[in-house]
Structures are given as structure tokens and as C-alpha cells.
Amino acid sequence: VLRDAAATHDVLLTSGGVSVGAADWVKDVIAELGTIQFWRLAVKPGKPVTFGRIGDCLVLGLPGNPVSVMVSFLLFARPLLRKRMAATPTEPLRVRAVADFSFRRKPGRREWLRARLRPDPERGWLAMIYPNNSSGALSSLSWADGLIDLPEDCAGIAPGDTVDYLPF
């Protein structure tokens, strides 16, 4: 199916099958039919995202968990598709907000937390995060209206810290 689709399309997007489980064979098929340019980014969610080629066709393999596929689509697939359509490259809109939450983590990879903003007359925009950060928590996507972008070197956020918010 991938071989036939790649022969008649410029870009293929897949969802699921690019991690390391028993049913994750999409990455291997892309490698068998073409080449893998990268696999496994230092990001959360979306670590197993895969990018390669089959012939002249670009193939972007998104993870399968709901949050991972949404975040990967917004941050990797959408810019790729816009570039292929000759649209002017643009950075995601960023809003500076004040954290209304605590969050600890191990540094080393970029992370995006599902969040929503609420106005505060004294402090400006306050950012809240969804209580469950699992990449399988589909409810977090219906609750949130954007993402908090945590850089690789960030070990945690305390209430009152300034954070970058990326609206959906």
C-alpha cells in the first residue's frame, strides 16, 4: 500500500506503527522501500515520529497515541505540508503567559503540555495545564486550547514563572 501510494503522491502521512512495539512495522516498511532520514526525536509527546522517502515521495510517520499525533501534526506535519504547497514559512504563534501550575521533569528533551489560558486583571494571561500528561489522554485535547512549550534544559515550572504558550 505504501509503495503504491508513494508512486502517485508527493507526501504521505501515517499515524501509528512507528515506535518499537510488536505491531510497529510502518517505519521498517518505509526503510525497506526507501530511506529513513530521522526517527525518534528528543521530544514529548511524539518521540517516535519518523521521516523518510519512498522514491520521490516524502513520508512522515506520526505516532499513534492521540496527543502525540496531534502535537506531531501541528509542529511537524503542518509546516511540512505548508512548505510543499509553497506557503511562506512561519513560526507558531507564541503568547507569553504566567504559569498557574507546578511541573517537575527531567531535562533533556523538548516537551509540550496541554494547556488553556485565562485572563487575570493583575498578571495578564495565566496558563493552566491538564492534570494528566499521558499521550493517550484524548480528553486533554478537548479541554486544552493550546500547548505550553518547555525547552530541553527546563527542569520544571513553578507558579509565577513565565512560559511560552502556543494556541491551537
Side-chain angles (χ1 to χ4, degrees):
V1 169
L2 287 176
R3 180 187 302 115
D4 292 346
T8 58
H9 293 80
D10 297 323
V11 178
L12 297 180
L13 295 179
T14 65
S15 177
V18 295
S19 194
V20 294
D24 291 318
W25 47 263
V26 173
K27 178 186 71 71
D28 296 335
V29 172
I30 296 168
E32 180 181 316
L33 297 174
T35 60
I36 299 287
Q37 257 90 35
F38 66 77
W39 174 59
R40 297 181 74 180
L41 300 177
V43 299
K44 181 178 181 179
K47 180 179 178 180
V49 70
T50 303
F51 180 73
R53 286 182 173 275
I54 300 174
D56 292 330
C57 180
L58 301 177
V59 184
L60 184 62
L62 304 177
N65 283 329
V67 174
S68 297
V69 76
M70 169 77 166
V71 171
S72 297
F73 182 85
L74 288 173
L75 298 171
F76 305 120
R78 186 174 186 270
L80 171 68
L81 294 173
R82 288 181 50 80
K83 182 171 177 63
R84 294 294 294 190
M85 293 186 297
T88 302
T90 58
E91 288 292 318
L93 176 64
R94 290 179 184 275
V95 175
R96 298 296 279 168
V98 176
D100 196 21
F101 62 91
S102 295
F103 187 76
R104 302 294 309 158
R105 72 189 198 106
K106 181 179 156 186
R109 61 180 169 169
R110 188 163 214 162
E111 186 166 357
W112 296 282
L113 306 174
R114 276 79 69 207
R116 70 166 49 156
L117 295 184
R118 67 179 173 84
D120 180 278
E122 295 176 13
R123 297 184 287 171
W125 290 108
L126 294 181
M128 305 168 286
I129 60 170
Y130 194 73
N132 180 351
N133 283 292
S134 165
S135 61
L138 184 57
S139 57
S140 68
L141 293 175
S142 63
W143 175 87
D145 52 23
L147 302 168
I148 298 296
D149 185 2
L150 301 180
E152 293 84 352
D153 60 351
C154 176
I157 299 293
D161 288 350
T162 302
V163 295
D164 280 340
Y165 169 83
L166 287 70
F168 290 150

